[in-house]
Amino acid sequence: MRDGKTSVALKRLHLAKRYLENAREILKKAGVDRRREAYVDIKYVSVASGTAYLSALEAIKALLILHLNLDEDFIRRKVKDISVYKRYIGELKIGKDRDYVQGLLKDAYDILHLGGYYRELQNKKAIDAGFEAVEKIIKFVESYLYA
């Protein structure tokens, strides 16, 4: 039987997967201009980017709960800024994987949160790369939860 923190972490990971799936469905509504290799409707790109970024954060929360024994209430109150996520990732004892996760989170933040959500980035390759970073974060966290 799984302990309490593992159960909570699994719930967070499941939520991350739901967010990512929702983001993909939203992004489909944006449409693609094949000549420009760009998503067309900025509203859907923005919403999808924000949702995918939230997916990355939920997956990271699962990792923090599992490895740093942070409870959900603490995370809700204190872990609100990208710099705080980075600091806690830096405290994880996961070896070289720490830099990998930091890099993926930076990619998700730069591409999806700043570019797609705030700055109306429509470049298909860039947005898709942001989604790929989120997917890699989820797979990485999943490998630690099921190890």
Side-chain angles (χ1 to χ4, degrees):
M1 179 170 240
R2 297 189 183 275
D3 64 5
K5 71 178 182 176
T6 303
S7 177
V8 172
L10 285 170
K11 287 179 186 175
R12 288 286 182 170
L13 184 61
H14 178 70
L15 182 57
K17 290 178 179 182
R18 287 179 52 211
Y19 272 133
L20 186 57
E21 184 58 35
N22 288 345
R24 285 185 177 123
E25 290 301 315
I26 294 165
L27 192 59
K28 287 178 185 176
K29 296 177 183 178
V32 176
D33 179 337
R34 295 285 175 206
R35 289 180 66 199
R36 289 182 35 233
E37 285 295 311
Y39 287 105
V40 178
D41 192 327
I42 193 63
K43 173 199 167 211
Y44 291 113
V45 175
S46 179
V47 173
S49 294
T51 304
Y53 177 66
L54 288 175
S55 173
L57 296 182
E58 286 300 324
I60 297 295
K61 288 175 189 176
L63 197 60
L64 299 179
I65 288 166
L66 188 65
H67 284 279
L68 296 180
N69 291 318
L70 300 180
D71 64 39
E72 287 188 288
D73 186 52
F74 179 84
I75 288 174
R76 253 190 308 279
R77 288 183 293 110
K78 300 291 184 180
V79 184
K80 296 181 178 184
D81 183 84
I82 188 68
S83 63
V84 178
Y85 280 93
K86 288 178 181 180
R87 186 178 79 215
Y88 281 118
I89 291 170
E91 292 179 17
L92 293 172
K93 301 203 182 337
I94 56 175
K96 292 180 181 179
D97 288 338
R98 182 175 38 245
D99 293 337
Y100 177 68
V101 173
Q102 288 273 24
L104 290 173
L105 182 59
K106 182 182 181 332
D107 290 347
Y109 178 77
D110 290 346
I111 297 168
L112 297 173
H113 186 62
L114 295 179
Y117 186 73
Y118 281 113
R119 297 193 181 129
E120 298 184 354
L121 176 67
Q122 292 175 274
N123 182 283
K124 185 176 183 326
K125 287 181 183 179
I127 296 295
D128 291 352
F131 271 70
E132 186 177 317
V134 173
E135 191 172 294
K136 287 178 181 179
I137 290 171
I138 289 172
K139 286 181 180 178
F140 175 81
V141 173
E142 201 168 41
S143 74
Y144 268 84
L145 287 174
Y146 293 113

